[in-house]
Amino acid sequence: MRLLEVKHLFKEFGGVVANSDISLEVEEGMTMGLIGPNGAGKTTLFNCIAGYYRPTRGKILFDGKDITGWPSHQVARIGIARTFQGMKTLPNMTVEENVMVGAFCRTKNREVARGEAQEIMELLNLREKAQSLPTELPIAIQRRIELARALATKPKLLMLDEIAAGLNPLEIKEILQTIKRIKEERRLTLFLIEHVMEFIMTISETVIVMAAGRKIAEGPPEKVAREPKVIEAYLGEKYAKG
Amino acid sequence: MGRLLKDIFSFEDRPRFERIGFLIFILIVLVFPWIIKSAYGRAVMIKFLLFALFGLGWNLIGGYGGQVDLGQAKNVGFGAYATGLMMLWWNVPFWVTVPVGMIIAAAESFGVAYPMFRLKGHYFAIATLCVALVWKELFVFWDWTGGARGVEIPIRPTPNFTYMQFGSPIYYHYFIFFLFMTQLLFMNWFRKSKLGYECQAVRDNEDVAASLGINVYRTKVIAYTITGGLGGVGGSFMTVYYLYIDPDFVMPLDLSILIAMTVMVGGAGSIWGPVIGAALLIPLDMYLGAWLGAQKRLGIDFMIYAVIMMFIAAREPKGIWGIIERMRKKRA
Ligand SMILES: Nc1ncnc2c1ncn2[C@@H]1O[C@H](COP(=O)(O)OP(=O)(O)O)[C@@H](O)[C@H]1O
Ligand SMILES: [Mg+2]
C-alpha cells in the first residue's frame, strides 16, 4: 500500500527554489532514504511534508488523504512524526516529560501517557535517564530522546532528519540498530535523511538523491551509488569544500 | 472522578521536603493572626496571600506557558468592578459576583488573545501591556463605572458572609487564605493535566510542540483565557477587603508588573514560585515602601525592584526556586 505520495512539489523562498518538481512515493513498511549534498533541499522537503512549510505548488497525499498545507499539529495527529535536524529538545522538561508530551498526542489521561512513555523509554534504553533534563545528557542520548518523543505520538510514518549527524562511529552503529529494532516492533514506515552515505546505504531499501533542489536519482542503494550523476553531485561538494 | 480528586489534592509526586515545607507553611498561615496582633503585620500577611493568589494565576500563562503577560491588572480590575458594581446596583451576594467577574475576565481575555497571539515574545508582552492600559483609561473615562472616582461599597450594618464584610481582619485573613488554597489546588491539577504539559512544551519549543500534535495557537489562547479568569478572583477580594476601588488602584501598570515580577523572582513555571516570590517581595514592598516614604525617598523602592528584576533575568531565569532546586541536585 502507498502510504506517502508527493506530486510535483515546489518550494520557493523568494528567489531560491529549494524544491523543484519533486515527486516520490513511499510504500507502507519500507525504509526510504534521502541523500544529497548540503543545501540540496532535503530538509525543506521534510518540512513541507510535515506541515512546517506550505509548499509553493504540488500535492502531498498521506494514506490517500490530501494533506497539502495542513498545519504541523494536524500532520502529527494523522500519523506522521518527525525529528528536527540539529535537534530540538524541550529543555526545561525531564526526559520522561519530553516523551509524555508526545504520548499526549493520543490520550488525555496522564497515567496512560506515562505508561506509554515508560514503555518507549524502555525500548530506547532511556529508563535510567527518565528524571534528567535532556540538556544535561550527551548528544547520542539526546538523539534517542527525540526518537522516543516522536515514537510516542504513535506514527505510521517516521521521518528522521540527520539523526546520526555528529555521532561517533560506535554511536552511529548503535542508533542504526535502535532504528531497525523500533521499526520492527512498532511496524513503522521510515523516511530518513542522512548526509553520511554509509549510514543510509545499510538501512534503506530505496534511496532518493537530491541536488540543487531537484531529484536526480532513485533506486536501490548499490545502484544509485554508482550513477555518474550522483557521484558528480557528491564530488562537486568535495571540491567546493576544498 | 477519583482520579480528578487525586490530581487536585495530591502532592505525592513532589519530593518529601516540599510536602513538609508546604505543611509548615499552611500551619504558619493558620496560626498567624493569633500570634501577630499588629494591624500592620496582619495587613502585610493578607497582601502577601493576595499577591501569591495573583501569582498563581499568572504563572499559568507566564510560567508554564512562557508568555510574558504584562497586563494581568486588567483582569484584576474586571473582577473588582464586577463585584463592586453588582453589589452597588443590585445587592448581589459576593459569591455570585466572583464567577461573573471571572467569566467577564476570561471572555475578554479570549477575545483579545485571538489577535494578540499573532505576536510573539516582546511584541506580545507590549501588546498585553497596551490592552491593559486601554481598559484602565476606559474605566477612568466611563461614567457608569464611577469614572476616576471609582466605586465605594456601602458598609453593611452587620458583618456577614453574603457580602463578605467583617469587623475583624482575622476573617479576611482566612477568607483570602481560602481563595489562595483553591487556586493553588487548581494549579496543582493544572500542572499534571494534558493542558499543563502542552503549555510547557509550547514554552520550551513551539516547533517541537507542533510536531507532537499540539495546536500551539489554541493552547496559548486557552492558557491566556484561564489566566484571565483566575485574575478576577483576587480583584473581587480587593473590593470587599478595601471597600473602595478605582482604576488607579485595581488596574494600574504597577500592579501588572508586580504580579509578573513576584512569579519571576520566586520561580516561573513551578508550583511554589509565586508563593516564594510574594513572600519575599510583598513584605519588602510594604516595609521598605513605608520606611522610604517616611524618609521622603520615594522611588528608591522601584529602583531596588529594577535591580532585582535585572539580576533575575540575567543570572537566574528560574528564580529563587531554580536556586533551591539546583542546590538540592548538587547535594543528591
Ligand atoms: N526558511 C528558509 N528561508 C530561506 N531559504 C531557505 C529556508 N529554508 C531553506 N532555505 C534554502 O533552501 C535551500 C535548501 O536547504 P535545505 O532544505 O536545508 O537543504 P538540505 O537539508 O538538503 O541541506 C538552501 O539554499 C537554503 O538556504
Ligand atoms: Mg538539512
Side-chain angles (χ1 to χ4, degrees), chain A residues 6-69:
Chain A
V6 175
K7 287 181 177 170
H8 306 292
L9 186 114
F10 289 77
K11 177 66 192 175
E12 292 161 16
F13 297 104
V16 182
V17 185
N19 285 168
S20 177
D21 198 19
I22 307 286
S23 294
L24 60 90
E25 286 166 13
V26 180
E27 298 291 322
E28 192 166 357
M30 79 178 292
T31 301
M32 172 73 94
L34 177 57
I35 60 171
N38 254 327
K42 307 180 295 293
T43 299
T44 303
L45 177 62
F46 264 30
N47 281 337
C48 286
I49 295 169
Y52 190 75
Y53 292 151
R54 178 183 283 275
T56 310
R57 250 176 301 152
K59 260 198 169 35
I60 300 160
L61 304 172
F62 182 75
D63 239 351
K65 244 198 209 89
D66 187 348
I67 62 162
T68 319

Side-chain angles (χ1 to χ4, degrees), chain A residues 73-166:
Chain A
H73 65 271
Q74 273 176 18
V75 174
R77 287 179 198 168
I78 202 177
I80 301 180
R82 62 89 57 98
T83 62
F84 292 89
Q85 177 172 2
M87 273 184 315
K88 291 186 177 179
T89 57
L90 303 173
N92 299 305
M93 304 179 82
T94 63
V95 172
E96 182 176 67
E97 287 168 342
N98 262 267
V99 184
M100 280 174 73
V101 171
F104 269 121
C105 183
R106 303 283 170 219
T107 177
K108 270 187 160 35
N109 186 317
R110 183 167 45 107
E111 293 316 316
V112 174
R114 170 162 303 141
E116 179 70 19
Q118 278 170 355
E119 205 175 292
I120 289 170
M121 286 191 297
E122 188 80 61
L123 190 67
L124 289 177
N125 221 343
L126 286 168
R127 271 307 264 280
E128 285 158 39
K129 310 286 181 209
Q131 301 310 320
S132 310
L133 291 175
T135 43
E136 303 167 337
L137 300 167
I139 309 182
I141 297 180
Q142 292 194 29
R143 293 286 159 81
R144 293 215 301 269
I145 299 168
E146 285 231 0
L147 212 50
R149 201 173 55 198
L151 264 189
T153 65
K154 296 198 178 148
K156 288 183 201 153
L157 175 67
L158 180 59
M159 306 203 300
L160 308 177
D161 194 348
E162 301 205 18
I163 192 109

